[in-house]
Amino acid sequence: MRLRTPIAATLALIGAMAAVPMTPVLAQVPMQNAPTSFRPLAQQLLPAVVSVQVSTSPAARNAQRPDAPDAPQAPPGSPFEEFFRDFLERNRPPGGGGQGGPRQQPQRRGQSLGSGFIIDAEKKFVVTNNHVVDGGTEINVVLSDNTTIQAELVGTDPRTDIALLRLKTDRQLTAVQFGNSDEAQVGDWVLAIGNPFGLASSVSAGIVSARSRDIRQGLYDDFIQTDAAINRGNSGGPLFDMQGKVVGINTAIYSPSGGSIGIGFAIPSNLARGIVAQLEDGGRVRRGWLGVNIQQVTDEIGDSLGLKPARGALVARAQEDGPAAKGGIRNGDVILRFNNQEVREMRNLPRIVAETRVGTAAPVVVWRDGKEETVTVTIAELPAEEAQAQNQSRPRSEVVDLAGLGLKVGPITGEARERFSLRPEQRGVLITEVDPSGAASERDLRPGDVIVEVQQERVNTPQEVQTRIEALRRQNRATALLLVEGQQGQRFVPLRIREEGNQRRN
């Protein structure tokens, strides 16, 4: 029997240890810049934070309810809907009617309370939320020393819920500055100062809980989430970083009860800064407009276009005579970069375009025909109103059956235009029937939708659709990229074209 030498035994032990997978150990990161007290910072900032008191007429109160929500109205079905409904009910103005018989106080003026902050001491400008002052007939601002000053409304931007006021005073004021909200990262300390429930000059501390929150309030949602206590009356107040710079404007909260549960939302300062500057210059905001209908690039769409990883914003339609169409952007292009800014996903693009100065000749990098191309688009001003999609009815119509896709298609005849309420200039191939268990139903295709393109090529007859689908199958392609126009406008649909039933039978 051969004995192992100590060296051999040691080497054997090392080899055995190397064969066992080691669990990685996270290196401990020491806490940095943890404040022992917020007192010095709070004392410095309090004089620049104000209470905004807005008087409203009964008609304005009934029409606009400016005193009721201290955050924007939640869309139906969102997680905020129940909170806002409860919040409105529990904060209706006295004498506002309700059960128990009418209480006749028709001439009583209402009042709403919010917060704000002085952004320019020389020009006497105060920033707050639009929903705080909306419908107001008289606006007063109360400083931290309880001095009341009358204010005039310079301008508002309902899309981002920002308003700019000017104080009518000659007294010396204390102002704060906007900081760089991009530098406020998750876990960083922040300080909220405002007037919750009318309790002036209240200070609360917390951290940045999340970035780029979309709470379904509009195209420009990019909120900072914080657990610093924010309540009714904090709306329009500042969210400070530890350098005393404003990194957000407190705007909304999520709560089942109406009180803070540590989920508050603030408009990033980098978005607010440009809005405030435009309101100061002309009292309104001029937004850039590209003139495209876009959709998200899914993995399947990216695969069908040869774009990996999937990214950018897919152009479903470049509106006729719009800036994009004039600049050479086509249906089916994927916008990867706009004006030297990366478009990571679809929802980034509207905000980037809106923040671009009207008249700018912006370079746009698109993915087209399997490669990147650059076009130049001159940005126009966003129109005040955008056209609404036309409603369509959905009767049945006899057609060609596209085997394995779960749908039937037919030509757009005069009878079909009338029955499906199609536009006179509508071109393409009409979807007349969808199998609820087929691939088309999985993609939410419906009778009355119109196939405009297959694999980025125009189609005008059912036979053209069928021919191009069969050609893709011969190429062993898993999906076909359809451009479909329906109630909500045009969108690209990656449709599975492999017949799973036939594959099982082989």
Side-chain angles (χ1 to χ4, degrees):
M1 177 171 136
R2 186 174 64 181
L3 297 176
R4 291 187 178 181
T5 66
I7 294 178
T10 301
L11 292 175
L13 178 61
I14 292 174
M17 292 176 63
V20 177
M22 300 294 290
T23 301
V25 178
L26 295 177
Q28 292 188 356
V29 180
M31 288 287 291
Q32 297 178 352
N33 303 323
T36 56
S37 173
F38 295 101
R39 181 176 60 186
L41 186 59
Q43 289 177 342
Q44 172 190 337
L45 301 174
L46 277 168
V49 182
V50 302
S51 174
V52 180
Q53 300 180 349
V54 182
S55 298
T56 59
S57 66
R61 287 167 59 81
N62 292 334
Q64 304 292 341
R65 297 180 298 167
D67 64 314
D70 214 37
Q73 181 87 21
S78 79
F80 298 89
E81 182 181 20
E82 181 180 352
F83 157 59
F84 286 128
R85 182 171 57 248
D86 175 70
F87 185 77
L88 293 173
E89 290 297 327
R90 299 199 303 119
N91 290 277
R92 290 190 183 279
Q99 295 181 355
R103 299 173 60 182
Q104 300 297 328
Q105 293 178 317
Q107 300 304 315
R108 180 174 179 176
R109 301 179 71 189
Q111 189 173 70
S112 64
L113 297 174
S115 303
F117 55 96
I118 301 169
I119 198 65
D120 192 317
E122 296 297 324
K123 298 179 181 179
K124 319 297 183 184
F125 284 138
V126 171
V127 175
T128 187
N129 279 144
N130 173 68
H131 75 261
V132 170
V133 299
D134 189 24
T137 57
E138 181 180 330
I139 304 173
N140 289 302
V141 165
V142 182
L143 305 183
S144 60
D145 63 1
N146 291 324
T147 301
T148 299
I149 302 174
Q150 190 175 7
E152 64 178 354
L153 185 63
V154 177
T156 66
D157 181 44
R159 291 175 185 264
T160 55
D161 198 18
I162 294 175
L164 184 65
L165 312 176
R166 181 187 286 111
L167 301 182
K168 299 179 180 179
T169 182
D170 293 328
R171 69 172 290 168
Q172 194 169 10
L173 302 172
T174 299
V176 289
Q177 298 178 344
F178 281 123
N180 184 355
S181 55
D182 289 343
E183 294 180 353
Q185 298 300 313
V186 173
D188 286 349
W189 284 104
V190 286
L191 208 65
I193 304 180
N195 305 280
F197 304 106
L199 300 173
S201 302
S202 293
V203 180
S204 59
I207 63 171
V208 174
S209 302
R211 294 294 312 267
S212 300
R213 285 299 195 206
D214 182 353
I215 61 174
R216 298 173 61 188
Q217 295 298 323
L219 288 175
Y220 311 113
D221 278 18
D222 187 30
F223 291 97
I224 296 173
Q225 181 183 328
T226 179
D227 66 347
I230 296 174
N231 289 283
R232 170 177 165 84
N234 276 110
S235 285
L239 187 70
F240 292 105
D241 62 16
M242 291 298 99
Q243 285 70 50
K245 300 293 181 65
V246 178
V247 293
I249 303 174
N250 301 320
T251 298
I253 64 173
Y254 171 67
S255 171
S257 63
S260 173
I261 61 170
I263 305 178
F265 302 97
I267 302 166
S269 60
N270 286 0
L271 173 61
R273 182 187 288 106
I275 300 298
V276 170
Q278 290 197 57
L279 293 177
E280 179 182 343
D281 287 341
R284 73 181 186 95
V285 175
R286 300 180 68 206
R287 285 188 167 83
W289 178 55
L290 188 57
V292 292
N293 297 85
I294 58 174
Q295 68 182 82
Q296 184 66 33
V297 180
T298 64
D299 289 339
E300 288 178 307
I301 291 178
D303 182 65
S304 67
L305 297 176
L307 179 61
K308 294 182 179 181
R311 61 193 187 278
L314 179 62
V315 178
R317 183 170 74 96
Q319 300 176 21
E320 292 183 12
D321 297 325
K326 292 178 180 178
I329 292 180
R330 307 173 187 169
N331 296 350
D333 286 347
V334 178
I335 299 176
L336 302 178
R337 293 183 64 83
F338 179 87
N339 202 24
N340 302 316
Q341 297 185 64
E342 183 180 359
V343 180
R344 297 182 303 277
E345 54 186 12
M346 178 190 71
R347 74 184 188 95
N348 296 143
L349 185 62
R351 185 172 64 254
I352 296 173
V353 173
E355 294 174 356
T356 304
R357 185 180 295 274
V358 174
T360 299
V364 183
V365 178
V366 301
W367 182 264
R368 178 188 298 169
D369 298 330
K371 62 182 183 300
E372 290 187 4
E373 294 189 20
T374 301
V375 298
T376 300
V377 177
T378 300
I379 302 304
E381 182 176 358
L382 180 69
E385 297 293 339
E386 307 240 7
Q388 298 293 325
Q390 190 172 353
N391 290 333
Q392 301 174 1
S393 57
R394 306 192 183 279
R396 293 185 55 173
S397 177
E398 186 70 29
V399 286
V400 173
D401 187 358
L402 297 179
L405 301 186
L407 59 79
K408 294 181 179 180
V409 295
I412 300 179
T413 63
E415 180 184 1
R417 290 185 192 279
E418 182 178 353
R419 296 196 312 180
F420 287 92
S421 301
L422 301 180
R423 294 180 289 106
E425 68 276 15
Q426 179 71 66
R427 296 291 182 269
V429 178
L430 184 70
I431 296 176
T432 59
E433 186 174 337
V434 175
D435 182 353
S437 61
S441 179
E442 293 175 358
R443 293 302 182 189
D444 201 29
L445 294 178
R446 305 174 183 179
D449 290 344
V450 175
I451 300 174
V452 180
E453 295 179 0
V454 176
Q455 211 67 18
Q456 298 183 298
E457 294 184 15
R458 299 281 301 189
V459 289
N460 296 299
T461 68
Q463 290 74 23
E464 288 180 349
V465 175
Q466 189 171 40
T467 298
R468 288 179 185 169
I469 294 295
E470 292 302 325
L472 291 172
R473 283 175 172 157
R474 288 193 296 272
Q475 297 170 18
N476 201 31
R477 302 293 287 270
T479 59
L481 189 62
L482 310 183
L483 178 60
V484 178
E485 184 164 350
Q487 278 188 321
Q488 306 303 320
Q490 289 187 341
R491 63 188 177 104
F492 280 97
V493 178
L495 187 63
R496 175 170 49 83
I497 60 175
R498 288 178 180 165
E499 299 183 41
E500 295 182 356
N502 289 342
Q503 292 174 353
R504 285 193 297 266
R505 287 194 295 269
N506 290 338

